[in-house]
Amino acid sequence: MSTKNMKIQLQCIACQSRGDSHFSNLEEEQLEILSEHKSCVTYKKNQTLFYEGTRPMGIFCINTGKVKVFKMGSNGKEQILFIAQKGDFLGYRSLLSEEFYGASATVLEPAAICFIPKSDFLKVLHSNPEFFGKLMKAVCHELGVMETKLAQLSQKSVRERLAATILMLKETYGMEGEGSEVIDIVLSREDLANIVGTATETVIRLLSEFKSDKMIALEGKKIKVLDADKLLHEADFYG
Amino acid sequence: MSTKNMKIQLQCIACQSRGDSHFSNLEEEQLEILSEHKSCVTYKKNQTLFYEGTRPMGIFCINTGKVKVFKMGSNGKEQILFIAQKGDFLGYRSLLSEEFYGASATVLEPAAICFIPKSDFLKVLHSNPEFFGKLMKAVCHELGVMETKLAQLSQKSVRERLAATILMLKETYGMEGEGSEVIDIVLSREDLANIVGTATETVIRLLSEFKSDKMIALEGKKIKVLDADKLLHEADFYG
DNA sequence: CGAAAACCATGACAAAAGTCATGTTTTCTA
DNA sequence: TAGAAAACATGACTTTTGTCATGGTTTTCG
């Protein structure tokens, strides 16, 4: 197998993931502008889309696959801010605030991702107030989500946060399987710890406990949720 | 003294704090729209502008004074997200994402704050792409700031975060006084703890240590920075 | 395929931070 | 302005979480 990433060419207008994205309501003409200079590349696991501290040159649009977005701490530990998937944009926030990337983005599983140069994206953005408004709304929503994460990090125990994280993953990646929900994302214990904001060993220990308590089952790296109510209770979603 | 808040009337166009705000470049016509239905009220310490979970009806524009914006945890502890001051807008984020307020806002010191109804604000916003773009840029920047806070909360010790918080306060509210910087904001130890994300007692203990180590002096509730370099060192701003 | 590397798991221990109790000081307000 | 309430301070102790060490398991890749 070649070590080079495979390039695939596809018009945005025919993109399978467009319906899930902010591009869903764009007009044909504007989709053509976006397609003009875009490149679509397949990435392998662990490849990095962009690094914290570098200058954004355009936006990434995820076609398939999952991408972790994280900040590196001085201790060498990552804090994962969110996980992006099909239809999500990456990098437009730094583009609009005209700052360097505030985080890095690394592929978690094989992915197909388009890159649209800054100028084309901005051209469409400024010629389409409705699109601009939609994006504004999305950014405002994201800010609210991030504030909630901050407060929970500060106010909840690791145990509560892990339970909440498993439930969140279930909501996002859950697949019904023989009565229980299998979470369809492969995360190392370390990545999971970096979402929760704790040490890897602590996550491993708590997962073992949750397993003993029959709340989850571990199938290889995948987590199966056996008792969502009990997890909800652990996450302290009532006070 | 009356228990009612005092109303003062002033045109936005003549507002002293406008130069510090996102409204600085608006045209006369648009300022008049904003002025039309606005009300400007003085608030006393501990009065609340809006509560988490309620519906936003407009935006607040701070003329003078300081306001803490926070989320309440199930344990009854606040997490302060940021402190707003002269020229800052509050509440426009929830307005734009069309969600309920995600946080509460309470006045820290006597303040004069204007309220502009939703419809007037949106009218101006949508009639002025440049203003919209400016606000978008601001929100994107805020999102980056919030992500940084999240990562630091997860990756730094309480001691490091307190040192960083004191330095941040110095940057924002510092006033040169006989060689050292007096931080011109009155925060209870509890509020400070709720910024740092820790227990009140822990903050008190660490402040005592910082004082013993001659990094700060405590003058009543106000903090004076004696050795910013040493604080920077404590905050671990190099790795 | 098979060795090396990465990852998972668990125990033992240490450190960080939280909680509770108590006393003092400051601030508010009737 | 005096009494009450809130805020500050500190000690003693507990709990939570992190770190280090070790061994087993899985994955990767030459």
Side-chain angles (χ1 to χ4, degrees), chain B residues 182-210:
Chain B
V182 180
I183 298 175
D184 185 33
I185 185 174
V186 175
L187 282 175
S188 66
R189 301 290 188 256
E190 189 178 357
D191 279 337
L192 193 50
N194 292 339
I195 296 174
V196 172
T198 187
T200 306
E201 293 94 325
T202 304
V203 160
I204 291 172
R205 260 182 263 276
L206 286 171
L207 284 179
S208 298
E209 285 184 35
F210 286 178

Side-chain angles (χ1 to χ4, degrees), chain A residues 44 49 148:
Chain A
K44 295 190 263 300
L49 297 180
T148 301

Side-chain angles (χ1 to χ4, degrees), chain A residues 59-229:
Chain A
I59 69 157
F60 295 87
C61 185
I62 303 178
N63 217 301
T64 64
K66 300 184 179 72
V67 177
K68 67 173 171 180
V69 177
F70 61 96
K71 284 179 89 85
M72 201 64 130
S74 56
N75 50 10
K77 222 158 45 183
E78 300 173 359
Q79 175 62 39
I80 295 181
L81 300 170
F82 60 92
I83 293 175
Q85 60 173 334
K86 184 172 86 163
D88 288 339
F89 291 174
L90 286 180
Y92 69 96
R93 212 257 301 141
S94 300
L95 211 63
L96 293 176
S97 64
E98 296 172 303
E99 296 166 311
F100 291 152
Y101 283 123
S104 306
T106 297
V107 169
L108 285 175
E109 59 181 50
I113 299 171
C114 294
F115 177 83
I116 296 166
K118 174 175 172 170
S119 58
D120 290 344
F121 176 70
L122 292 180
K123 199 185 293 175
V124 170
L125 191 66
H126 290 127
S127 69
N128 189 338
E130 194 201 337
F131 178 45
F132 201 149
K134 219 166 151 183
L135 209 58
M136 172 69 114
K137 188 173 169 178
V139 178
C140 287
H141 175 75
E142 280 312 306
L143 186 47
V145 170
M146 203 53 70
E147 288 175 350
T148 301
K149 282 185 188 171
L150 183 93
Q152 302 225 335
L153 184 57
S154 153
Q155 292 170 339
K156 287 177 173 265
S157 68
V158 173
R159 189 185 183 86
E160 289 168 331
R161 269 143 51 205
L162 179 61
T165 299
I166 292 171
L167 287 170
M168 177 275 287
L169 291 172
K170 191 196 83 148
E171 286 308 307
T172 317
Y173 308 107
M175 303 179 72
E176 196 66 32
E178 62 218 62
S180 56
E181 295 256 12
V182 181
I183 297 175
D184 186 35
I185 184 173
V186 176
L187 281 176
S188 67
R189 300 290 187 257
E190 189 178 356
D191 279 335
L192 192 50
N194 292 338
I195 295 174
V196 172
T198 187
T200 307
E201 293 94 327
T202 303
V203 161
I204 291 172
R205 259 182 264 275
L206 287 172
L207 284 179
S208 297
E209 284 183 37
F210 287 177
K211 186 179 158 190
S212 306
D213 296 345
K214 307 264 186 278
M215 288 185 273
I216 62 172
L218 300 174
E219 311 201 327
K221 297 217 183 198
K222 292 202 181 173
I223 297 172
K224 194 194 244 181
V225 174
L226 300 178
D227 191 339
D229 284 346

